[in-house]
Amino acid sequence: MKLTVNNIPVEAPEGATILEAARLAGVRIPTFCHLPGIHSVGACRVCLVEVDGQRDMAASCVMPAGEGMKVRTNTRRVREARRTVVELMLSEHDGECQTCIRNDNCELQALARELGISNIAYEGEKTNATLDTSTFGLVRDSGKCVMCRRCVTVCNEIQGVGALFPQKRGFKTVIGPAFTRQLDEVTCVQCGQCAAVCPVGAISEKDQIEEVWAALEDPNKYCIVQTAPAIRAALGECFGYPPGTRVTGQMVTALKRLGFDDVFDTDFSADLTIMEEGTELLTRLKKALVEKDASVALPMFTSCSPGWISYMEHFYPEMLANLSTCKSPQQMMGAVVKTYYAEKIGKKPEDICMVSIMPCTAKKYEAARDEMNDSGVQDVDIVLTTRELGRMITQAGIDFRALPESVMDAPLGISTGAADIFANTGGVMEAALRTAYEIITGRELPFGNLHVTPVAGLDGVKEASIKIEGAAPDWSFLEGVTVNVAVAHGLGNARKVIQRIKSGEAQYHFVEVMTCPGGCIGGGGQPRLTDDSVRLARIKAIYEEDEHKTLRKSHDNPAVKKLYEEYLGVPLGKVSHHILHTKYTKRERV
Amino acid sequence: MVECKEAAGCCCGENVSEEELMLRLDECIAEYKDKPGGLIPALQTAQAIFGYLPEAVLLKISAGFDKSYSEVAGVVGFYSFFSTQPRGRNTVRVCLGTACYVRGGKQILESLKKELGVDVGETTEDREFTLEVARCFGACGLAPVITVNDEVHQRVKPSGLREILCQYKQQEAGEAAHAE
């Protein structure tokens, strides 16, 4: 299909929009509400263009390109129309730019700059802004909302949660939960994917930086930080590094300079999770296959992702028994720090402040759950997202790019490559299989470089089957058994898996679910904006991190072995049961 | 659209048990849930059954349609026809179209607000009357006009309003009102 854009001839594939054709011609059309492949509704009208022979301007993000079309993207009429559209948005927007969480990282600011808006011609009425701080993870400020509806698409179509939808009509429209409810009164899993796509400061993480400063300044607090595997592949983006730059060493130095007494690695507790969860899976399989116990819930679902846990509690409470009882790595670390490690360093749990750096807004909620206090106090005190850590480092005047590298502290900073890959979709599955297969057969997992390629990548639902051959005597009941596994990321995909299980169409033994598309590397607390190219770059970095480690299987982690020798005993033992496992609660679906 | 009939016709007054109403709702959900665009007719029918759309009804529709509660709420909030507040057994609409307006429709509305003690869109405490405004019933020659349910009252004066309202109270509320 041939057309011209600003007199530049271009050949566009069938079905391309004018916007896509223009990009092929090297012409940039500004967009605002558009999220390629996810959300194209032509709502904001910023991408207007003129098409010769058509009276009205067209929204190029949704208008298909046509044979022989003559498109003009830079006429006076187009420029003025775009400016008017943005000025109208700005006239309603609570533009408290200097104090806004998105200051200097706001798509509306950038758009106003790009279009050269120098004054806002309209002084309009403002809507009644409401500030929703009801959840642990997220803050909604409707006064800043520009009605682009990206969050609505993500919440409903990608996640299938449906906490957000346009309410009321016309000028009174509010993007929010049903009627005038707050987020904590509806089925919101706090995954933060809405915040990840919000172009402005209307939905963002609940900022807890001040709480961390207060703890660091308190002479009676021993401050320990843990960083999730996904942070090291994304934090660099806050300081101008391209996506997929590994900044593990600089991150550790930055955390030490902020004043943390110990810098530990959630990778350690990810290895620990594999020991517990792997044993739990084998125990369930044994009960089902040997003891023919029909009450055993299979498939077993992973339980690392707190948004997924909330989703199950609200949407599929009848399947809670299928969730692994293992706490997430964040919570395992909190519990181990405030029991085992506290004893080691002679501190009381209440004198330790445990801070987590997570790619996730739901982790803030998870840390605050009632049951997460097995040390006697709240196991994890404060959770910062990657974005908050980026801001905190900037506030502290640390020149991140100039930092030397350093290593995580022992013993709870020691980890294997299997733990790194917890950061991306398919990673927990791969890590579990690396260990489980070797426990059963005594041999290494038979995949190239230990990577379970069928469950890697960005397909929404991935499956693999592994036939057990040559099982050790203890595991002879698994000889010849084909273990079926599935991996889903994005709750909409998880739902598809559940429906296939419920209909009997699929029979799995083990299913990994991560709430966010791409897994934790695409979490709701990661630097914006995360598209598939960013996801793939971060995943590549995570696999490099794994491959660079000497130890790549969780059961080889010496610090984990020592923890079992000195404190826990055996996986699923009495102490483990007390501090590393949890239970779930049926919740209402609203 | 026969909205007033549906909305005001069969709420309260009848001695129908809550369970019976819920059974009707189940039938309504079963009828529409697999039809494309079935949500709006289901909400209309539900409003006809209950007189308004209480939260419990909306939650049931949301579950039955496997649609999020926020989406159902969004549809309910978009159309002024839907009400989440209990409605009176009679709906009084005051015309504020051009002809009625210039012939005193505004004063009629003010008097009605006083007489009923409610604002536009609200329902009296005894759930006898819901007050609404409208833009022309096509009876401009009879202005100012009000309607009560399906009946048109022409050339109304503020002083005659009480008498009009009384008719409806008497009709449906029985002897007690008659004695007043």
Side-chain angles (χ1 to χ4, degrees):
Chain A
M1 173 169 56
K2 286 178 180 158
L3 64 156
T4 67
V5 180
N6 300 345
N7 297 320
I8 303 166
V10 61
E11 200 162 341
E14 216 48 54
T17 60
I18 292 179
L19 178 70
E20 286 157 355
R23 285 189 180 159
L24 290 175
V27 173
R28 183 183 148 78
I29 298 172
T31 58
F32 188 60
C33 67
H34 181 60
L35 272 183
I38 296 171
H39 180 71
S40 290
V41 293
C44 75
R45 319 308 287 175
V46 165
C47 64
L48 289 175
V49 295
E50 281 193 285
V51 178
D52 278 13
Q54 292 185 10
R55 192 191 59 180
D56 294 329
M57 285 182 272
S60 59
C61 71
V62 286
M63 181 77 165
E67 181 65 41
M69 239 181 201
K70 290 193 169 87
V71 179
R72 292 174 207 284
T73 73
N74 188 30
T75 62
R76 172 164 292 275
R77 190 172 165 229
V78 163
R79 284 195 305 271
E80 284 179 356
R82 285 184 192 150
R83 267 195 209 141
T84 302
V85 161
V86 175
E87 282 176 33
L88 284 167
M89 266 190 243
L90 289 168
S91 77
E92 267 187 64
H93 176 70
D94 270 353
E96 312 158 324
C97 296
Q98 297 84 345
T99 52
C100 179
I101 196 164
R102 296 300 294 273
N103 190 9
D104 205 28
N105 173 29
C106 169
E107 292 182 47
L108 186 58
Q109 251 178 7
L111 186 64
R113 190 162 50 227
E114 184 179 344
L115 299 184
I117 289 174
S118 52
N119 72 317
I120 299 164
Y122 313 96
E123 198 175 323
E125 207 182 320
K126 304 254 186 213
T127 50
N128 282 332
T130 53
L131 194 65
D132 178 354
T133 57
S134 61
T135 57
F136 289 98
L138 297 164
V139 175
R140 280 176 54 241
D141 182 350
S142 69
K144 289 180 182 154
C145 176
V146 288
M147 313 284 165
C148 71
R149 289 162 168 75
R150 283 183 185 177
C151 58
V152 175
T153 299
V154 169
C155 188
N156 289 271
E157 286 164 35
I158 307 288
Q159 299 297 61
V161 169
L164 300 173
F165 205 80
Q167 305 294 320
K168 300 187 197 164
R169 177 180 193 166
F171 185 66
K172 291 182 179 156
T173 306
V174 177
I175 307 295
F179 299 110
T180 52
R181 286 170 182 246
Q182 299 210 314
L183 277 180
D184 73 336
E185 298 169 296
V186 299
T187 308
C188 166
V189 303
Q190 303 184 40
C191 67
Q193 285 298 306
C194 52
V197 296
C198 182
V200 295
I203 312 183
S204 39
E205 67 278 13
K206 191 176 264 182
D207 188 309
Q208 292 184 280
I209 294 175
E210 270 312 311
E211 291 172 47
V212 177
W213 282 127
L216 288 168
E217 285 155 9
D218 185 341
N220 300 317
K221 287 277 182 200
Y222 188 88
C223 292
I224 300 177
V225 66
Q226 60 169 322
T227 66
I231 314 299
R232 61 208 70 188
L235 180 64
E237 291 164 46
C238 299
F239 303 99
Y241 287 104
T245 309
R246 289 154 59 206
V247 295
T248 320
Q250 285 155 287
M251 173 182 74
V252 175
T253 309
L255 290 165
K256 290 192 169 171
R257 292 202 183 170
L258 286 174
F260 286 101
D261 295 294
D262 286 313
V263 179
F264 288 155
D265 200 340
T266 314
D267 275 19
F268 168 87
S269 43
D271 280 332
L272 183 58
T273 301
I274 289 298
M275 298 308 293
E276 293 291 326
E277 200 167 273
T279 311
E280 184 184 359
L281 176 65
L282 293 175
T283 308
R284 288 195 194 206
L285 288 176
K286 190 171 184 183
K287 275 191 188 155
L289 296 173
V290 180
E291 297 159 28
K292 310 279 178 209
D293 181 349
S295 70
V296 176
L298 283 173
M300 186 174 89
F301 291 117
T302 56
S303 58
C304 304
S305 186
W308 158 241
I309 298 294
S310 282
Y311 183 80
M312 287 295 279
E313 290 181 327
H314 284 288
F315 287 86
Y316 295 101
E318 71 281 9
M319 291 181 85
L320 289 179
N322 292 70
L323 284 170
S324 161
T325 60
C326 287
K327 287 182 184 172
S328 71
Q330 156 171 282
Q331 294 305 139
M332 285 202 184
M333 176 63 88
V336 169
V337 156
K338 290 199 177 177
T339 55
Y340 168 73
Y341 188 69
E343 272 177 35
K344 255 186 176 321
I345 59 171
K347 297 271 177 199
K348 287 190 229 143
E350 52 269 36
D351 294 332
I352 295 176
C353 180
M354 178 79 234
V355 177
S356 302
I357 313 297
M358 293 285 143
C360 180
T361 48
K363 287 280 170 192
K364 289 174 182 273
Y365 154 75
E366 183 188 54
R369 282 178 70 119
D370 289 341
E371 59 273 21
M372 296 300 172
N373 56 2
D374 288 329
S375 64
V377 294
Q378 188 171 318
D379 295 331
V380 173
D381 296 282
I382 310 168
V383 180
L384 296 187
T385 58
T386 317
R387 295 192 292 265
E388 286 165 278
L389 177 62
R391 294 201 295 274
M392 198 172 171
I393 291 170
T394 303
Q395 284 169 25
I398 294 170
D399 181 358
F400 190 83
R401 295 181 69 112
L403 287 177
E405 298 190 11
S406 38
V407 293
M408 305 264 185
D409 291 310
L412 307 183
I414 296 170
S415 65
T416 74
D420 287 304
I421 58 174
F422 265 61
N424 52 263
T425 172
V428 174
M429 180 58 68
E430 180 169 320
L433 292 177
R434 284 184 193 174
T435 288
Y437 191 86
E438 201 163 314
I439 289 178
I440 298 164
T441 65
R443 299 190 311 274
E444 244 185 18
L445 187 63
F447 280 93
N449 208 2
L450 295 176
H451 293 316
V452 188
T453 34
V455 296
L458 288 181
D459 289 343
V461 177
K462 298 164 282 187
E463 295 174 329
S465 296
I466 291 128
K467 194 171 183 189
I468 308 281
E469 281 167 332
D474 282 356
W475 305 99
S476 57
F477 67 93
L478 285 170
E479 183 62 34
V481 171
T482 299
V483 177
N484 300 318
V485 301
V487 168
H489 57 123
L491 292 172
N493 291 322
R495 183 179 190 171
K496 286 181 203 157
V497 170
I498 292 177
Q499 282 166 345
R500 295 189 60 194
I501 293 167
K502 281 185 170 257
S503 71
E505 200 184 322
Q507 280 167 338
Y508 303 118
H509 298 98
F510 189 33
V511 178
E512 174 207 288
V513 178
M514 295 192 188
T515 304
C516 294
C520 311
I521 50 95
Q526 292 280 59
R528 298 176 174 102
L529 191 77
T530 303
D531 61 15
D532 275 353
S533 70
V534 173
R535 287 187 187 97
L536 288 170
R538 290 179 188 157
I539 289 174
K540 189 166 168 277
I542 291 292
Y543 279 122
E544 282 168 15
E545 193 84 2
D546 162 35
E547 286 159 10
H548 276 76
K549 291 239 170 99
T550 336
L551 300 175
R552 296 189 54 214
K553 292 168 285 190
S554 297
H555 55 277
D556 290 340
N557 184 327
V560 168
K561 285 184 194 165
K562 203 167 168 207
L563 173 66
Y564 278 109
E565 278 162 26
E566 293 182 359
Y567 195 74
L568 295 174
V570 291
L572 292 187
K574 205 174 162 199
V575 185
S576 286
H577 184 76
H578 177 57
I579 67 168
L580 303 182
H581 290 258
T582 187
K583 57 187 185 326
Y584 310 108
T585 312
K586 175 181 167 39
R587 292 174 209 273
E588 203 188 343
R589 176 182 169 183
V590 181
Chain B
M1 193 66 238
V2 285
E3 57 193 63
C4 44
K5 202 169 193 175
E6 278 192 344
C10 46
C11 60
C12 32
E14 294 177 33
N15 274 328
V16 182
S17 70
E18 188 77 4
E19 294 89 82
E20 169 62 25
L21 294 179
M22 279 297 174
L23 280 178
R24 285 193 207 167
L25 178 63
D26 289 338
E27 284 166 21
C28 153
I29 292 171
E31 185 183 345
Y32 289 109
K33 77 183 170 73
D34 296 319
K35 288 186 184 157
L39 179 60
I40 290 174
L43 288 168
Q44 285 176 306
T45 311
Q47 182 158 298
I49 296 170
F50 292 89
Y52 72 110
L53 294 169
E55 186 175 271
V57 168
L58 292 176
L59 284 169
K60 204 160 182 193
I61 291 175
S62 144
F65 274 74
D66 197 18
K67 281 185 187 296
S68 70
Y69 188 50
S70 68
E71 180 175 348
V72 173
V75 172
V76 169
F78 187 86
Y79 295 102
S80 57
F81 172 72
F82 293 125
S83 173
T84 55
Q85 300 300 318
R87 295 178 60 93
R89 69 178 97 197
N90 302 293
T91 301
V92 182
R93 289 193 175 85
V94 181
C95 179
L96 290 180
T98 312
C100 290
Y101 192 90
V102 298
R103 298 201 56 173
K106 192 85 192 289
Q107 287 88 316
I108 299 291
L109 177 63
E110 291 309 315
S111 307
L112 269 171
K113 281 190 198 170
K114 257 189 220 155
E115 185 66 34
L116 298 172
V118 295
D119 215 329
V120 174
E122 292 178 353
T123 299
T124 54
E125 252 178 43
D126 58 7
R127 289 190 59 181
E128 286 285 346
F129 296 102
T130 296
L131 180 61
E132 288 180 351
V133 294
R135 309 282 162 188
C136 197
F137 297 115
C140 306
L142 310 172
V145 163
I146 69 168
T147 61
V148 182
N149 306 334
D150 283 347
E151 291 166 10
V152 178
H153 297 264
Q154 51 170 299
R155 297 204 174 96
V156 287
K157 296 191 182 103
S159 57
L161 289 170
R162 183 170 294 183
E163 197 183 322
I164 295 173
L165 296 177
C166 262
Q167 295 170 26
Y168 293 91
K169 272 196 147 176
Q170 279 167 358
Q171 264 180 22
E172 299 193 12
E175 275 72 44
H178 192 67
E180 274 179 38

